[in-house]
Coordinates of all heavy atoms in Angstrom, one line a residue:
V1 N -103.9 104.5 -91.0 CA -103.3 103.3 -91.5 C -101.9 103.2 -90.9 O -101.0 104.1 -91.2 CB -103.3 103.4 -93.0 CG1 -102.6 102.1 -93.6 CG2 -104.7 103.5 -93.6
E2 N -101.6 102.1 -90.2 CA -100.3 101.9 -89.7 C -99.4 101.1 -90.6 O -99.9 100.4 -91.5 CB -100.4 101.0 -88.3 CG -101.3 101.6 -87.2 CD -102.7 101.2 -87.3 OE1 -103.2 100.8 -88.3 OE2 -103.3 101.3 -86.2
S3 N -98.2 101.3 -90.5 CA -97.2 100.5 -91.3 C -95.9 100.4 -90.5 O -95.7 101.1 -89.5 CB -97.0 101.2 -92.7 OG -96.4 102.5 -92.5
G4 N -95.0 99.5 -91.0 CA -93.7 99.5 -90.5 C -93.4 98.4 -89.5 O -92.3 98.3 -89.0
G5 N -94.4 97.6 -89.1 CA -94.2 96.5 -88.2 C -93.3 95.4 -88.8 O -93.0 95.5 -90.0
G6 N -92.9 94.5 -88.0 CA -92.1 93.4 -88.6 C -91.5 92.6 -87.4 O -91.9 92.7 -86.3
L7 N -90.5 91.8 -87.8 CA -89.8 90.9 -86.9 C -88.4 91.5 -86.6 O -87.7 91.9 -87.5 CB -89.6 89.5 -87.5 CG -88.8 88.5 -86.7 CD1 -89.4 88.2 -85.4 CD2 -88.5 87.3 -87.5
V8 N -88.1 91.7 -85.3 CA -86.8 92.2 -84.9 C -86.2 91.5 -83.7 O -87.0 90.9 -82.9 CB -86.9 93.7 -84.6 CG1 -87.9 93.9 -83.4 CG2 -85.6 94.4 -84.4
Q9 N -84.9 91.4 -83.6 CA -84.3 90.7 -82.5 C -84.3 91.6 -81.3 O -84.4 92.8 -81.3 CB -82.9 90.3 -82.8 CG -82.8 89.2 -83.9 CD -81.3 88.7 -84.0 OE1 -80.4 89.4 -83.7 NE2 -81.2 87.4 -84.4
A10 N -84.3 90.9 -80.1 CA -84.3 91.6 -78.9 C -83.1 92.6 -78.9 O -82.0 92.2 -79.3 CB -84.2 90.7 -77.7
G11 N -83.3 93.8 -78.4 CA -82.2 94.8 -78.3 C -82.2 95.7 -79.6 O -81.5 96.7 -79.6
G12 N -83.0 95.3 -80.6 CA -83.0 96.0 -81.8 C -84.0 97.2 -81.8 O -84.6 97.5 -80.8
S13 N -84.1 97.8 -82.9 CA -85.0 99.0 -83.1 C -85.9 98.8 -84.3 O -85.6 98.1 -85.2 CB -84.1 100.2 -83.3 OG -83.3 100.5 -82.2
L14 N -87.0 99.5 -84.2 CA -88.0 99.5 -85.2 C -88.8 100.8 -85.1 O -89.1 101.3 -84.0 CB -89.0 98.3 -85.0 CG -89.8 97.9 -86.2 CD1 -89.0 97.4 -87.4 CD2 -90.8 96.8 -85.8
R15 N -89.3 101.3 -86.3 CA -90.1 102.5 -86.3 C -91.4 102.1 -87.0 O -91.4 101.6 -88.1 CB -89.5 103.7 -87.0 CG -90.3 104.9 -86.8 CD -89.6 106.1 -87.5 NE -89.8 106.1 -88.9 CZ -89.6 107.2 -89.7 NH1 -89.2 108.3 -89.1 NH2 -89.8 107.1 -91.0
V16 N -92.5 102.4 -86.3 CA -93.8 102.2 -86.9 C -94.4 103.6 -87.2 O -94.1 104.5 -86.5 CB -94.8 101.3 -86.1 CG1 -94.3 99.9 -86.0 CG2 -94.9 101.9 -84.7
S17 N -95.2 103.6 -88.3 CA -95.8 104.9 -88.7 C -97.3 104.7 -88.8 O -97.9 103.6 -88.9 CB -95.3 105.3 -90.1 OG -93.9 105.4 -90.1
C18 N -98.0 105.9 -88.7 CA -99.5 105.9 -88.9 C -99.8 107.1 -89.7 O -99.6 108.2 -89.3 CB -100.1 106.0 -87.5 SG -101.9 106.2 -87.6
A19 N -100.3 106.8 -90.9 CA -100.8 107.9 -91.8 C -102.2 108.2 -91.6 O -103.1 107.2 -91.6 CB -100.4 107.5 -93.2
A20 N -102.6 109.4 -91.6 CA -104.0 109.9 -91.4 C -104.5 110.5 -92.6 O -103.8 111.2 -93.4 CB -104.1 110.8 -90.2
S21 N -105.8 110.4 -92.9 CA -106.4 111.1 -93.9 C -107.9 111.4 -93.5 O -108.4 110.8 -92.6 CB -106.4 110.2 -95.2 OG -107.1 109.0 -95.0
G22 N -108.4 112.4 -94.2 CA -109.8 112.7 -94.0 C -110.1 114.0 -93.4 O -111.1 114.7 -93.8
R23 N -109.4 114.5 -92.4 CA -109.6 115.8 -91.8 C -108.3 116.4 -91.5 O -107.2 115.8 -91.7 CB -110.5 115.6 -90.6 CG -111.9 115.2 -90.8 CD -112.7 116.3 -91.5 NE -114.1 115.9 -91.8 CZ -115.1 116.1 -91.0 NH1 -115.0 116.7 -89.8 NH2 -116.3 115.7 -91.4
T24 N -108.4 117.6 -91.0 CA -107.1 118.3 -90.6 C -106.4 117.6 -89.5 O -106.9 117.5 -88.4 CB -107.5 119.8 -90.2 OG1 -108.2 120.4 -91.2 CG2 -106.2 120.5 -89.8
F25 N -105.3 117.1 -89.8 CA -104.6 116.2 -88.9 C -104.2 116.9 -87.6 O -104.3 116.2 -86.5 CB -103.3 115.7 -89.6 CG -102.5 114.7 -88.8 CD1 -103.1 113.5 -88.4 CD2 -101.2 114.9 -88.4 CE1 -102.4 112.5 -87.7 CE2 -100.5 114.0 -87.7 CZ -101.1 112.8 -87.3
S26 N -103.9 118.1 -87.6 CA -103.5 118.8 -86.4 C -104.7 119.1 -85.5 O -104.5 119.6 -84.3 CB -102.8 120.2 -86.7 OG -103.7 121.0 -87.5
N27 N -105.9 118.7 -85.9 CA -107.0 118.8 -85.0 C -107.0 117.7 -83.9 O -107.8 117.7 -83.0 CB -108.3 118.6 -85.8 CG -108.6 119.9 -86.5 OD1 -108.0 120.9 -86.4 ND2 -109.7 119.8 -87.4
Y28 N -106.1 116.6 -84.1 CA -106.2 115.4 -83.3 C -105.0 115.2 -82.5 O -103.9 115.1 -83.0 CB -106.4 114.2 -84.2 CG -107.7 114.3 -85.1 CD1 -107.6 114.8 -86.4 CD2 -108.9 113.9 -84.6 CE1 -108.8 115.0 -87.2 CE2 -110.1 114.0 -85.4 CZ -110.0 114.6 -86.6 OH -111.1 114.7 -87.4
A29 N -105.2 115.0 -81.2 CA -104.2 114.4 -80.3 C -104.2 112.9 -80.7 O -105.2 112.3 -81.0 CB -104.5 114.6 -78.9
M30 N -103.0 112.3 -80.7 CA -102.9 110.9 -81.2 C -102.2 110.0 -80.1 O -101.5 110.5 -79.2 CB -102.0 111.0 -82.4 CG -102.5 111.8 -83.6 SD -104.0 111.2 -84.3 CE -103.3 109.6 -85.0
G31 N -102.4 108.7 -80.3 CA -101.8 107.8 -79.4 C -101.5 106.5 -80.1 O -102.0 106.2 -81.2
W32 N -100.6 105.7 -79.4 CA -100.2 104.4 -79.8 C -100.7 103.4 -78.7 O -100.4 103.7 -77.5 CB -98.7 104.2 -80.1 CG -98.3 104.8 -81.4 CD1 -97.6 106.0 -81.5 CD2 -98.3 104.2 -82.6 NE1 -97.3 106.2 -82.9 CE2 -97.7 105.0 -83.6 CE3 -98.8 103.0 -83.1 CZ2 -97.6 104.8 -84.9 CZ3 -98.7 102.7 -84.5 CH2 -98.1 103.6 -85.4
F33 N -101.3 102.3 -79.1 CA -101.7 101.3 -78.2 C -101.1 100.0 -78.7 O -100.6 99.9 -79.9 CB -103.2 101.1 -78.1 CG -103.9 102.2 -77.4 CD1 -104.0 103.5 -77.9 CD2 -104.4 102.0 -76.1 CE1 -104.7 104.5 -77.2 CE2 -105.0 103.0 -75.4 CZ -105.2 104.2 -75.9
R34 N -101.1 99.0 -77.9 CA -100.7 97.6 -78.3 C -101.5 96.6 -77.6 O -102.0 96.8 -76.5 CB -99.2 97.4 -78.0 CG -98.8 97.4 -76.6 CD -97.3 97.3 -76.4 NE -96.8 97.3 -75.0 CZ -95.6 97.4 -74.6 NH1 -94.6 97.5 -75.5 NH2 -95.3 97.4 -73.4
Q35 N -101.6 95.5 -78.3 CA -102.4 94.3 -77.7 C -101.7 93.1 -78.0 O -101.5 92.7 -79.2 CB -103.8 94.3 -78.3 CG -104.7 93.3 -77.6 CD -106.1 93.5 -77.9 OE1 -106.5 94.2 -78.9 NE2 -107.0 93.0 -77.0

């Protein structure tokens, strides 16, 4: 589940997060994509 998106001005900063559940999290290499 991702969170933290929003509207920001050019030059600004933002942090998005992704919370995982269900299995041992350290079992998984992770990635971010965009579309």
Side-chain angles (χ1 to χ4, degrees):
V1 178
E2 301 93 337
S3 61
L7 175 64
V8 62
Q9 288 189 333
S13 299
L14 195 66
R15 188 178 78 164
V16 291
S17 303
C18 172
S21 61
R23 291 290 177 94
T24 303
F25 183 60
S26 59
N27 286 353
Y28 301 94
M30 301 292 295
W32 284 100
F33 286 75
R34 64 187 179 188
Q35 188 166 20

